[in-house]
């Protein structure tokens, strides 16, 4: 018998109402790991920030956003990607409080960094952006460390 | 637009104070409606105090927080005040992370906010 790696893919149009769908889908998928309720809340916020970033910035018109999640041993890996414009200055975009839209706090990437265990952002002009992060289930880590 | 309706269930004007009971999820989709409805009510009732209850809010991200902070900035521009009340435990980590709790007054109950703001 071999171990399966469970994964999911969600492809959604870049509509604001789909941000909720994406975070709920990933949270439901993550429930197979031993995440605490507060960790699930953090995961939902992280997914929401990544998908919101794609909805707001990736395309000038309609476009698709791909949300992939994979459950590993005790942690989840999530990748939110688009085939849009890309981010021209990634370092600037990731600065706390940086925003190009009034009434936004510019905290999306700060939240992603704070609420996840690892974060990688890759962006290419005209080819899109991918935001990849991992989140470990602390409960699982605690259980693993028990004698 | 069902979600947008869910994000804001109850608004009351009481002697120059607007009491907003938000509910549901405050994210990019719902915060736009939230923002415009609160703005409209503040203007039409000529309110200088704004109290927002988060008791029935089940989720908030940086878009929702931006909508709250944006209302605080508007009230300050008008020479008014704003406070948050009844923050659910599940929302506190994100509110703390954002720094919003260091900027906005927070009260446990609507009654206390109405008395002290």
């Amino acid at each position: 018998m071999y171990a399966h790696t469970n994964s999911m893919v969600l492809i959604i149009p870049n509509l604001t109402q789909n941000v909720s769908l994406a975070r709920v889908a990933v949270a439901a998928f993550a429930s197979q790991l031993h995440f605490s309720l507060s960790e699930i809340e953090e995961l939902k916020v992280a997914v929401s920030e990544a998908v919101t970033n794609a909805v707001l910035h990736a395309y000038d018109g309609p476009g698709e956003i791909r949300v992939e999640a994979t459950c590993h041993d005790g942690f989840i890996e999530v990748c939110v990607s688009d085939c849009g414009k890309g981010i021209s200055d990634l370092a600037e975009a990731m600065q706390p409080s940086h925003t190009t839209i009034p009434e936004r706090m510019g905290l999306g990437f700060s939240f992603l960094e704070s609420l996840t265990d690892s974060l990688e952002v890759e962006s290419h002009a005209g080819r899109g952006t991918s935001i990849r992060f991992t989140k470990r289930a602390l409960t699982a880590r605690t259980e693993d460390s028990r004698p | 637009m069902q979600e947008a309706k869910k994000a804001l269930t109850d608004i009351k004007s009481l002697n120059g104070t607007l009491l907003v009971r938000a509910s549901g999820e405050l994210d990019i989709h719902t915060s736009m409606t939230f923002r415009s409805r609160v703005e409209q009510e503040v203007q039409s009732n000529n309110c200088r105090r704004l109290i927002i209850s988060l008791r029935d809010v089940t989720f908030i991200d940086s878009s929702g927080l931006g909508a709250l902070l944006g209302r605080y900035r508007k009230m300050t521009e008008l020479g008014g005040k704003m406070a948050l009340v009844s923050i659910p435990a599940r929302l506190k980590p994100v509110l703390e992370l954002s720094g919003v709790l260091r900027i906005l007054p927070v009260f446990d109950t609507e009654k206390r906010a109405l008395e002290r703001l």
Side-chain angles (χ1 to χ4, degrees), chain B residues 4-15:
Chain B
K5 283 180 189 166
K6 275 184 187 172
L8 186 71
T9 53
D10 191 20
I11 294 185
K12 280 182 187 169
S13 175
L14 308 157
N15 304 322

Side-chain angles (χ1 to χ4, degrees), chain B residues 13-25:
Chain B
S13 175
L14 308 157
N15 304 322
T17 300
L18 195 71
L19 174 60
V20 177
R21 294 188 180 119
S23 66
E25 302 186 325

Side-chain angles (χ1 to χ4, degrees), chain B residues 44-106:
Chain B
S44 61
N45 292 290
N46 197 26
C47 292
R48 290 295 175 268
R49 295 195 309 169
L50 173 62
I51 296 170
I52 300 179
S53 170
L54 300 179
R55 193 189 70 180
D56 297 324
V57 173
T58 55
F59 175 85
I60 193 163
D61 62 9
S62 69
S63 301
L65 291 167
L68 295 180
L69 204 59
R71 304 293 60 72
Y72 170 74
R73 287 184 184 136
K74 286 275 181 189
M75 291 307 293
T76 306
E77 280 170 22
L78 293 168
K81 294 175 179 178
M82 176 183 151
L84 299 176
V85 298
S86 307
I87 299 174
R90 66 192 299 179
L91 303 188
K92 272 193 181 153
V94 171
L95 283 155
E96 278 167 1
L97 196 59
S98 69
V100 162
L101 297 183
R102 291 195 298 273
I103 298 168
L104 284 168
V106 178

Side-chain angles (χ1 to χ4, degrees), chain A residues 96-147:
Chain A
S97 302
H98 172 81
T99 180
T100 54
I101 302 173
E103 283 257 341
R104 293 196 57 76
M105 296 181 80
L107 288 180
F109 281 118
S110 296
F111 275 14
L112 274 162
E113 279 179 336
S114 300
L115 300 174
T116 62
D117 291 309
S118 71
L119 173 67
E120 288 174 28
V121 184
E122 203 172 314
S123 193
H124 301 282
R127 285 196 289 147
T129 300
S130 67
I131 298 173
R132 185 181 298 275
F133 61 86
T134 61
K135 185 153 187 70
R136 180 163 289 280
L138 194 63
T139 315
R141 196 160 52 203
T142 306
E143 284 177 357
D144 288 348
S145 63
R146 282 176 192 158

